[in-house]
Amino acid sequence: MQNKAVGFEEMGVVHQCCNGIQFCLEPAFAPGDMWSADEIAELCYLHYRTRLPKQGKPDPNREWTSLAAVVKVESATQKEVLASPGNLQVMKEVVAMGTGTKCIGQSKMRKTGDILNDSHAEIVAKRSFQRYLLHQMWLAASHQQCSIFIPGTETGKWKLKPSIVFVFFCSHTPCGDASIIPISEPENQLSKLVTGDDAAGQSAECRSNRDHLGPEDKRKSEKMASNHIIKRMKTGDDGYFSVITEDLAFQQVSAKREEDTNPKNCECSGEMQTANKKTGLGRPKVVDVYRTGAKCVPGELGDARVPGLGYHCVGLLRVKPGRGDRTCSMSCSDKLARWNVLGCQGALLMHFLQYPLYLSAIIVGKCPYSQEAMQRAIIERCQHISFLPDGFLTQKVKLLQSDLRFEHSRQAIQEARTNSKTKLVPCSAAISWSAVPEQPLDVTSDGFRQGTTKKGIGSHQSRSKICKVELFHTFQKLVTNISQEDLPDTLRMKTLETYWDYKEAALNYQEAWKVLRSQALLGWVKNAKEYLHFT
């Protein structure tokens, strides 16, 4: 009988690593089936409920948030398999977690590296994961066997234990390209009435951007959003049909508009085109797309913004929207595509790693989801890359969806408060959690520790443990604790001072990033050097 991934308390089987952090043991599945999407989601949701504090979580009467996490999956070693073939165990452990939906605008960015520019859950989880990796690297350098790393073949280099993989979980489809998902018309329910709840599964991040609209657009959006019951399809012969769009609204859209879309300006996904070709009766099966609030990067192709299928162009780089102030943060879809080629460790940790650290799977919770959109956004945009340095490769990461919904997602909160007239808003706080022994938790708002006053900005107490300067200082402590002869070539006998210096000195990582930008992610918005010259 297969055991579902359950929590530490419910398992009754709790073990401790040498740093005091708990993990649970479970009976293994058959080879190649060590876990399911639902089990990973369940483990993450349990961790959120039991290990994260109430502080920083949304008020379920009026707020929602997004959740992301990194799960370590460790299988039995070959030696253990031979020693006990009938009693194998698999360890699943949440090692990093993040919540959040916000992003600061360009005008709030700081040159001291002490603010979180991007507090979307996926990014908070990834930075929390880097904090975990820095601690694990310190354990390895201290010759403690419980580290996830083992010595590599080069001096000062380490590699991940072959029995360990990392799975990334996010409660909602990543913002940006992966969120441009077709809305299908049920073939046998052309006149079905759709309530606001039925439509509540749209891209959460695009709805949270209503506050970023101009006054006129906001009025239109709120007027349309007040239409709680709408028809999916008109039955007349006037060539018009109703579609669900952003903010539970609807528009009257001419089916002929699709023919007028300029192919040079916009490309519909193959999923939409194929679905429509298969539909009979002269009516489209796919009637619209879910909108993403992420904006196309400056200077590149833009969205056609025509109603219906042609509203968005797919495959484009996008930046996250700000509150009237444009951000420099790329969409989560774009960042995941980058991590799928360069790894999740970043430039600093690459100094110590023989190979990049890749995700083996990305799992999305129950929400609007398209396998084709995820494949396109995260893998296909970069799969043609050539001439990458040794060790770097576009990964064929597994893309899966769970049937389990996050309890504090926008859709879940919306359904639970059907009679409430209070406006539903995204939670302003972000929570970071890392599997480290000291101060694993961090709650932030507007890029600083929650509770920071204007006077307190710039103080050590105002910083998140996962902001650039804090992670940099943790990295520097690691470097200084290692003797010169044991350091990797890129750090040995080098005069490096600033964050920028250390990042640039990771030569193979920087070369891979240069190749990726030039061949696939040409319009990527990079932070100006002045924001990286801190110590």
Side-chain angles (χ1 to χ4, degrees):
M1 180 177 175
Q2 293 182 346
N3 281 26
K4 297 213 76 175
V6 294
F8 314 124
E9 296 83 3
E10 293 168 66
M11 277 293 298
V13 184
V14 178
H15 291 251
Q16 287 199 333
C17 184
C18 59
N19 57 14
I21 295 167
Q22 294 181 327
F23 56 85
C24 62
L25 296 175
E26 297 178 337
F29 295 118
D33 186 28
M34 289 163 52
W35 47 262
S36 71
D38 281 357
E39 286 164 351
I40 296 294
E42 188 178 349
L43 191 65
C44 293
Y45 295 158
L46 182 74
H47 192 95
Y48 173 81
R49 288 195 299 271
T50 60
R51 304 296 292 274
L52 266 57
K54 187 175 180 180
Q55 181 193 7
K57 289 180 179 177
D59 174 353
N61 292 316
R62 63 181 191 90
E63 294 179 322
W64 58 272
T65 194
S66 292
L67 175 74
V70 179
V71 176
K72 180 183 77 169
V73 180
E74 187 166 9
S75 58
T77 64
Q78 190 173 6
K79 184 179 179 180
E80 290 168 336
V81 171
L82 294 171
S84 183
N87 189 32
L88 302 183
Q89 291 182 314
V90 172
M91 291 181 288
K92 299 182 186 72
E93 177 191 3
V94 175
V95 296
M97 181 166 278
T99 71
T101 64
K102 302 289 186 178
C103 204
I104 67 164
Q106 189 172 2
S107 65
K108 288 189 176 181
M109 290 173 64
R110 291 167 59 86
K111 297 175 183 178
T112 44
D114 59 356
I115 189 170
L116 284 178
N117 296 334
D118 189 342
S119 292
H120 278 218
E122 294 92 330
I123 312 309
V124 175
K126 185 255 194 178
R127 298 187 71 80
S128 303
F129 182 49
Q130 289 177 326
R131 188 179 176 211
Y132 162 79
L133 293 176
L134 281 164
H135 175 67
Q136 291 295 317
M137 190 60 72
W138 179 84
L139 290 176
S142 305
H143 306 291
Q144 298 193 41
Q145 290 184 347
C146 67
S147 172
I148 62 172
F149 296 115
I150 56 176
T153 55
E154 302 172 34
T155 302
K157 295 277 191 175
W158 301 83
K159 59 186 180 181
L160 189 64
K161 286 179 179 176
S163 57
I164 294 174
V165 297
F166 291 104
V167 176
F168 192 83
F169 173 79
C170 46
S171 62
H172 203 280
T173 306
C175 68
D177 198 51
S179 283
I180 304 174
I181 300 168
I183 299 174
S184 298
E185 177 61 40
E187 292 178 30
N188 59 348
Q189 296 178 353
L190 297 181
S191 299
K192 178 186 175 184
L193 287 177
V194 181
T195 66
D197 284 347
D198 292 326
Q202 286 193 60
S203 173
E205 53 85 26
C206 83
R207 288 218 207 90
S208 70
N209 297 320
R210 189 185 324 197
D211 293 336
H212 313 322
L213 298 174
E216 185 62 29
D217 288 335
K218 186 183 280 189
R219 279 193 295 273
K220 289 179 182 177
S221 172
E222 288 172 354
K223 184 178 179 182
M224 290 193 293
S226 67
N227 292 281
H228 295 297
I229 300 179
I230 58 180
K231 280 196 175 184
R232 286 296 289 269
M233 181 72 78
K234 271 196 170 184
T235 55
D237 298 322
D238 56 4
Y240 285 80
F241 54 89
S242 297
V243 297
I244 299 173
T245 61
E246 225 169 311
D247 292 302
L248 313 186
F250 73 97
Q251 297 175 332
Q252 297 300 321
V253 182
S254 171
K256 296 174 184 177
R257 273 293 184 86
E258 290 177 54
E259 300 168 10
D260 299 333
T261 302
N262 184 347
K264 292 182 180 178
N265 293 335
C266 189
E267 176 190 346
C268 288
S269 75
E271 185 176 351
M272 301 173 205
Q273 293 170 356
T274 302
N276 284 345
K277 284 177 184 176
K278 289 180 180 177
T279 306
L281 305 177
R283 284 177 174 166
K285 180 181 178 182
V286 177
V287 295
D288 200 8
V289 291
Y290 287 105
R291 312 284 198 251
T292 176
K295 312 300 181 187
C296 297
V297 295
E300 298 293 313
L301 269 176
D303 289 321
R305 300 175 85 81
V306 297
L309 299 186
Y311 187 88
H312 281 308
C313 297
V314 298
L316 301 183
L317 290 174
R318 297 173 182 274
V319 291
K320 289 164 181 163
R323 295 182 175 181
D325 181 15
R326 198 175 188 104
T327 79
C328 290
S329 298
M330 301 299 294
S331 74
C332 290
S333 291
D334 297 335
K335 289 185 176 182
L336 280 161
R338 174 181 172 172
W339 305 342
N340 197 46
V341 179
L342 301 184
C344 288
Q345 74 292 321
L348 296 183
L349 271 163
M350 201 63 220
H351 283 287
F352 288 105
L353 291 174
Q354 192 157 337
Y355 307 108
L357 209 156
Y358 292 112
L359 299 169
S360 69
I362 298 171
I363 297 170
V364 177
K366 186 178 181 181
C367 66
Y369 179 88
S370 162
Q371 188 72 15
E372 189 220 27
M374 287 286 288
Q375 188 86 13
R376 176 191 69 229
I378 296 171
I379 301 174
E380 291 176 0
R381 289 192 291 176
C382 302
Q383 67 182 5
H384 63 281
I385 300 296
S386 56
F387 304 111
L388 284 165
D390 288 347
F392 290 90
L393 188 68
T394 302
Q395 301 297 297
K396 291 183 178 178
V397 61
K398 289 180 185 175
L399 302 173
L400 303 167
Q401 187 183 26
S402 166
D403 285 327
L404 304 179
R405 187 163 63 182
F406 177 44
E407 64 188 88
H408 286 154
S409 68
R410 193 185 202 285
Q411 299 91 328
I413 298 295
Q414 186 85 51
E415 287 185 8
R417 57 191 294 281
T418 49
N419 298 321
S420 175
K421 293 182 179 180
T422 310
K423 184 181 178 183
L424 189 60
V425 296
C427 181
S428 61
I431 306 175
S432 159
W433 183 92
S434 301
V436 297
E438 295 180 15
Q439 292 182 265
L441 271 165
D442 210 30
V443 181
T444 58
S445 183
D446 291 323
F448 293 109
R449 293 278 293 275
Q450 196 172 53
T452 299
T453 62
K454 283 189 177 180
K455 191 176 179 180
I457 291 175
S459 67
H460 184 78
Q461 290 77 17
S462 70
R463 298 176 186 168
S464 163
K465 289 293 181 183
I466 59 169
C467 70
K468 285 186 178 73
V469 71
E470 283 292 310
L471 290 179
F472 179 44
H473 288 172
T474 303
F475 172 80
Q476 285 180 307
K477 287 177 186 175
L478 173 64
V479 174
T480 55
N481 283 338
I482 300 173
S483 60
Q484 280 290 323
E485 61 268 21
D486 291 333
L487 285 173
D489 287 342
T490 51
L491 295 174
R492 200 180 310 138
M493 306 303 291
K494 297 287 195 302
T495 307
L496 304 171
E497 295 180 5
T498 67
Y499 178 71
W500 168 267
D501 293 337
Y502 277 94
K503 280 172 68 80
E504 288 299 299
L507 300 178
N508 60 343
Y509 181 90
Q510 294 301 340
E511 176 60 25
W513 182 209
K514 182 180 176 182
V515 170
L516 178 58
R517 281 201 317 276
S518 65
Q519 294 184 33
L521 308 178
L522 279 77
W524 191 279
V525 178
K526 289 184 69 180
N527 287 335
K529 290 182 184 179
E530 62 194 86
Y531 291 106
L532 305 172
H533 276 295
F534 53 83
T535 56

